[in-house]
Amino acid sequence: MPERLAETLVDLWTPLIILWITLPSCVYTAPMNQAHVLTTGSPLELSRQSEDMRILSRSKRGWVWNQMFVLEEFSGPEPILVGRLHTDLDPGSKKIKYILSGDGAGTIFQINDITGDIHAIKRLDREEKAEYTLTAQAVDFETNKPLEPPSEFIIKVQDINDNAPEFLNGPYHATVPEMSILGTSVTNVTATDADDPVYGNSAKLVYSILEGQPYFSIEPETAIIKTALPNMDREAKEEYLVVIQAKDMGGHSGGLSGTTTLTVTLTDVNDNPPKFAQSLYHFSVPEDVVLGTAIGRVKANDQDIGENAQSSYDIIDGDGTALFEITSDAQAQDGVIRLRKPLDFETKKSYTLKVEAANIHIDPRFSSRGPFKDTATVKIVVEDADEPPVFSSPTYLLEVHENAALNSVIGQVTARDPDITSSPIRFSIDRHTDLERQFNINADDGKITLATPLDRELSVWHNITIIATEIRNHSQISRVPVAIKVLDVNDNAPEFASEYEAFLCENGKPGQVIQTVSAMDKDDPKNGHFFLYSLLPEMVNNPNFTIKKNEDNSLSILAKHNGFNRQKQEVYLLPIVISDSGNPPLSSTSTLTIRVCGCSNDGVVQSCNVEAYVLPIGLSMGALIAILACIILLLVIVVLFVTLRRHKNEPLIIKDDEDVRENIIRYDDEGGGEEDTEAFDIATLQNPDGINGFLPHYRRGFLRGIPENAA
Ligand SMILES: *[C@@H]1O[C@H](CO)[C@@H](O)[C@H](O)[C@H]1NC(C)=O
Ligand SMILES: *[C@@H]1O[C@H](CO)[C@@H](O)[C@H](O)[C@H]1NC(C)=O
């Protein structure tokens, strides 16, 4: 280090010119803010001063030869002398002239080219520009020839305390939890000072509190703000205004100062328990209130805020714990009492509950202050409400036999008004559920009667709705479903399950099953159907066929012998009596038609050749009707023909008086009233075989007669 310094010095000394720097002594001796005492002096004075200064400065701080200093903010009547350039060159014969160039040369700094005195001609501000770099040169006065190379030097503007501290980020806001211990750090603030921080004390700041004591303190150097009182209570005072001052010059008198404000807000901690506003609450509720309805609200106040004020509500005791519940409304911070089960004024008219509110977020620091909960009593009075009738059962199931007599009572519903006033009740049938008006109800006693006959085979269930209405208040209505089941009565006889057509092989063997038939019955007996089959009593000893009942309620028809021959008899009709197991049993006779056919050896029917005259026998009803229609048409033609013949032979007939019927028929032809009808009837009666009587008689006989004849 000393070597380098030496080098620097040599570098500086090498040029012939020496910057003979002088500075007014007052710069170093006077207080900074008294720079104005500096006045201009004669060059001699300055020289002398600079001599003193050099000694003083060297001893005080390392002298830098290429620096000059000038005090900022100087505002005297004359320009301030910054320093003097001087060269060791022998001035002898030549006259030397000093030239200044660089930052501010000529504008801020002026040089006396003969003496080398440099003056600042403008007021300088260190905070604006702290140093100026200039170049000095000595030249021949006459020739302007440089006498040595130019030399660079710096003019430093020297600080005075002309800037007050400033809080650039103020005003400040900070929070600290209430109930904090003394000395809890709140925040820190910072002020800045534009003055030179490395030179003097102009920027040396000291902090203090002007307002806000005794609650807060500030560390003078670090500006850390702390609580100065323990256990400050937010619930007592939430916000504090602190005024902070920063003072430069290390806080000494004469320094400049700046202030700011800090707003400190105490944040909440849970240091207060909930407290019910009332120790007793009264609520009343109508007995018919819908489940879940809010009956009332209870609120425990808590001086804390936010989650520290949150409480959960509970029913901890009382005779209504099963019927009521309480829920916590976090928004309103209260407890809502609701109905959980139906009330009945007629059973119990009031309830008492003990409710508790307990803080949810407990701070263990304060739990020693006691339980963070509170209780209150809630009295609930049940009010009577007009309630609709109540049926003795939620549903009814009635049974009735299908043959029940009209107006017979099927069953009864009962209902009562649960209210104390107990209104009489009237019953009716909801006709939408009984469109056929199958039933009636006695409006007073609820007895249901049969209005129209029942048929189980048509409809087993009649599900109707009965309405009960209070006579005193028609809006009080209840409904109940009534299912009426129609019970079976044996009112249907069994019959063949389908139309059977049996074939009998000519080459069949005795005992062979010709056909198996089964029966059906529309009734529905409890234990299922059991059918009995028999031949007609007069046919029990039928030489041709026999019957055999099977396990499954069906019947087999067997041939008794072989040798059936369709040439001899093509069709056999076998009436079978089927009876059910009802009480009393019902029976009917169904006739099985058995046709004799030619079969192959393995029993496959091949030909049931039928002659024309027996066609109708095995034909269906449709075919029979068609054939009948043909016959009728034929007959009509015959009648027309005969009638025409009669007209032609009229004289003959008139002459012939023997047959009264002929005359009557003629009247008939002419048409004529009651006599005519009478005459017709008489004729028919008198001569059943006559033309008029023939047609209906024939038709009847044909339809009915064939099975009769065959049987
Ligand atoms: C009527 O009610 C009975 C018993 O509830 C039920 O079994 C039946 O299916 C109902 N019938 C009709 C047609 O709704
Ligand atoms: C039995 O069959 C014979 C001819 O094969 C017949 O003459 C007789 O009438 C039949 N008897 C009955 C009861 O059908």
Side-chain angles (χ1 to χ4, degrees), residues 283-297:
F283 298 120
S284 58
V285 54
E287 60 174 328
D288 62 349
V289 77
V290 178
L291 293 191
T293 305
I295 287 161
R297 288 170 174 263

Side-chain angles (χ1 to χ4, degrees), residues 9 33 64 118 137 169 187 190 267 330 372 383 420-421 436 518 580 603 606 636 651 660 674 686:
L9 290 174
N33 55 353
V64 182
I118 298 170
Q137 198 168 29
N169 298 323
T187 185
T190 326
T267 54
F372 275 64
E383 292 169 345
I420 282 187
T421 52
E436 285 117 41
S518 49
D580 61 25
Q606 285 180 326
V636 168
V660 183
E674 278 178 28
Q686 282 179 341

Side-chain angles (χ1 to χ4, degrees), residues 639 661 664-665 668-669 680 683-684 687-697:
V639 169
R661 287 171 295 164
I664 293 163
I665 285 178
D668 178 35
D669 286 345
F680 176 83
T684 311
N687 186 6
D689 295 319
I691 292 162
N692 287 295
F694 176 74
L695 178 56
H697 179 73

